[in-house]
Amino acid sequence: MFQAYDAVDPPEVLAQRAGIPEDKVIKLNGNENPFGPSPRLTEGLANWPGYHIYPDPLQRRARAALGEYVGLDPKHILAGAGADEIIDLLIRATLEPGDRIVNCVPTFGMYSFSAQVQGGKTISVPRSEDFEVDIDGCLLAIKDGAKVVFICSPNNPSGNTTPAGDIQRLLEQDVLVVVDETYAEFSGETLAPLVPEHWNLVVLRSLSKWGGLAGLRVGYGLMSSGLIDFLMAIKPPYNLSAAGEAGLLISLEDKELLLRRCADIVLERGRMAAALGEFPALKVRPSRGNFLLCHAPSGKGHEVYTGLAERGIFLRYFNQPGLEDSFRISVGLPEHTDALISALRELL
Ligand SMILES: Cc1ncc(COP(=O)(O)O)c(C=O)c1O
């Protein structure tokens, strides 16, 4: 049966559900940036010229600015409506109905979702108890004919990264290796410099998290120029909107401030991990993203999740193999952490 993607609801819907005003919602379920976008964005978007003209289908200015940011030639870069769109384009470019992708579960849901939409099949290779990728398991699936391997690093929802040496073993195979680095600005790790040397490496990045542009939808992929040319040919011509392009350029101009905020989020992640670690009932996983994965005692997860939601605090709840009674908690502002900890004291 077709599995719809389980996306997060907007604050007004959450507020209604909890019976509280919208400004009382503490939204820690989407890994969004609690500081919002660059303070230059509102005025920059208001004064941007040319919303009545179609944006550049070849994204020249956006790709040039991204090239400077990641240190690559723009011929290796394609932008889109979020990393989600690049995932979808990659799948459409590579998979025929019945073809397979390798998915290292538990992980971000869009890889298997997009494969399914294309009529493809997902081979799930479970991660270890500590969420490490089973490279040997991936190699077996590749030998069996899988066309694309997705490695999310830092992994959503576990937060751990995959060592470059492990990914190198995959790159030696005749398979497309997609490394999703949506949270790279928080981990400080990237394989972007390896892209020009590897025909089969794709690195995914996004402005949604570090740039605070989740609502504007701006992401990009780094890959061989041949694959870029193919994706350029099959993508909807104006997939990066004028507002998306403007938001991207304004954010990159203000990157020092935005990256300082990432450093603050990383500090707050440490404070939140320490505070959650004080609850004997919770098991907190180390994370390199802007979120923490946390396990509640067996059978208690849903009760804690709903108890928090009733208090206006929304987390991402999981109850599936490898993620029993678990929550992913986005790092918010210090006052959000404090509210979460007080609510947990009432509930645990
Ligand atoms: C690992 C991962 N990849 C991609 C995305 C989607 O990013 P975007 O907002 O750029 O589409 C997300 C969003 O949560 C994510 O967690």
Side-chain angles (χ1 to χ4, degrees):
M1 212 186 48
F2 190 84
Q3 281 282 315
Y5 186 76
D6 185 18
V8 288
D9 285 320
E12 68 272 19
V13 175
L14 299 178
Q16 212 177 17
R17 201 172 295 154
I20 55 174
E22 197 180 322
D23 63 355
K24 289 280 177 283
V25 167
I26 299 182
K27 188 174 183 304
L28 304 178
N29 64 353
N31 297 345
E32 289 129 339
N33 194 316
F35 296 107
S38 158
R40 299 183 197 173
L41 190 81
T42 309
E43 203 186 327
L45 283 182
N47 295 326
W48 201 257
Y51 286 127
H52 60 301
I53 304 290
Y54 284 109
D56 178 6
L58 294 184
Q59 311 167 344
R60 292 169 183 87
R61 284 194 301 184
R63 291 165 73 208
L66 283 168
E68 231 172 85
Y69 176 61
V70 295
L72 290 183
D73 189 298
K75 71 180 183 190
H76 291 296
I77 305 170
L78 178 81
D84 281 352
E85 189 187 28
I86 311 294
I87 294 167
D88 183 58
L89 286 172
L90 284 165
I91 292 279
R92 285 200 275 147
T94 50
L95 248 59
E96 307 262 358
D99 282 346
R100 281 160 287 172
I101 66 158
V102 181
N103 203 26
C104 303
V105 292
T107 192
F108 183 53
M110 281 301 288
Y111 321 129
S112 56
F113 171 78
S114 289
Q116 178 192 225
V117 171
Q118 180 71 3
K121 293 204 161 66
T122 295
I123 316 259
S124 293
V125 176
R127 289 169 175 257
S128 72
E129 232 173 79
D130 287 330
F131 300 105
E132 276 151 21
V133 171
D134 173 4
I135 297 291
D136 291 327
C138 292
L139 291 174
L140 278 179
I142 293 165
K143 291 234 154 51
D144 219 25
K147 289 221 170 142
V148 191
V149 186
F150 283 91
I151 306 283
C152 187
S153 180
N155 186 45
N156 176 3
S158 55
N160 59 313
T161 55
T162 298
D166 285 358
I167 291 170
Q168 199 73 44
R169 288 181 64 204
L170 300 175
L171 287 171
E172 285 159 13
Q173 311 301 312
D174 185 20
V175 70
L176 199 65
V177 180
V178 181
V179 182
D180 185 342
E181 294 184 355
T182 286
Y183 299 98
E185 279 78 3
F186 303 100
S187 72
E189 276 180 30
T190 180
L191 295 185
L194 300 187
V195 164
E197 303 154 25
H198 292 90
W199 68 270
N200 57 344
L201 172 61
V202 177
V203 172
L204 299 177
R205 304 288 287 270
S206 173
L207 270 284
S208 293
K209 316 297 179 178
W210 78 277
L213 295 189
L216 214 45
R217 312 301 301 126
V218 184
Y220 56 101
L222 310 171
M223 62 200 90
S224 74
S225 54
L227 189 51
I228 291 283
D229 291 346
F230 191 65
L231 295 195
M232 273 291 177
I234 66 165
K235 78 176 176 63
Y238 311 112
N239 66 323
L240 180 66
S241 73
E245 181 194 347
L248 170 66
L249 297 176
I250 293 165
S251 302
L252 291 178
E253 271 170 26
D254 205 11
K255 67 172 191 264
E256 281 78 17
L257 173 88
L258 294 171
L259 292 172
R260 272 204 305 280
R261 288 175 171 179
C262 289
D264 287 344
I265 290 169
V266 167
L267 282 179
E268 185 59 20
R269 181 184 74 202
R271 196 178 77 90
M272 184 161 94
L276 290 169
E278 298 281 312
F279 291 91
L282 296 179
K283 177 169 180 177
V284 187
R285 300 285 184 162
S287 168
R288 307 286 303 279
N290 63 342
F291 54 86
L292 287 170
L293 180 67
C294 206
H295 309 287
S298 181
K300 278 281 265 182
H302 196 257
E303 191 184 315
V304 176
Y305 166 73
T306 48
L308 289 170
E310 280 160 11
R311 290 161 174 80
I313 302 171
F314 294 88
L315 315 180
R316 187 91 186 206
Y317 168 67
F318 302 95
N319 199 14
Q320 62 194 59
L323 288 179
E324 291 82 3
D325 292 288
S326 304
F327 319 106
R328 191 196 65 203
I329 314 173
S330 310
V331 179
L333 297 171
E335 60 259 38
H336 299 153
T337 307
D338 295 343
L340 170 72
I341 299 298
S342 325
L344 284 173
R345 283 204 190 104
E346 290 171 21
L347 291 164
L348 283 170

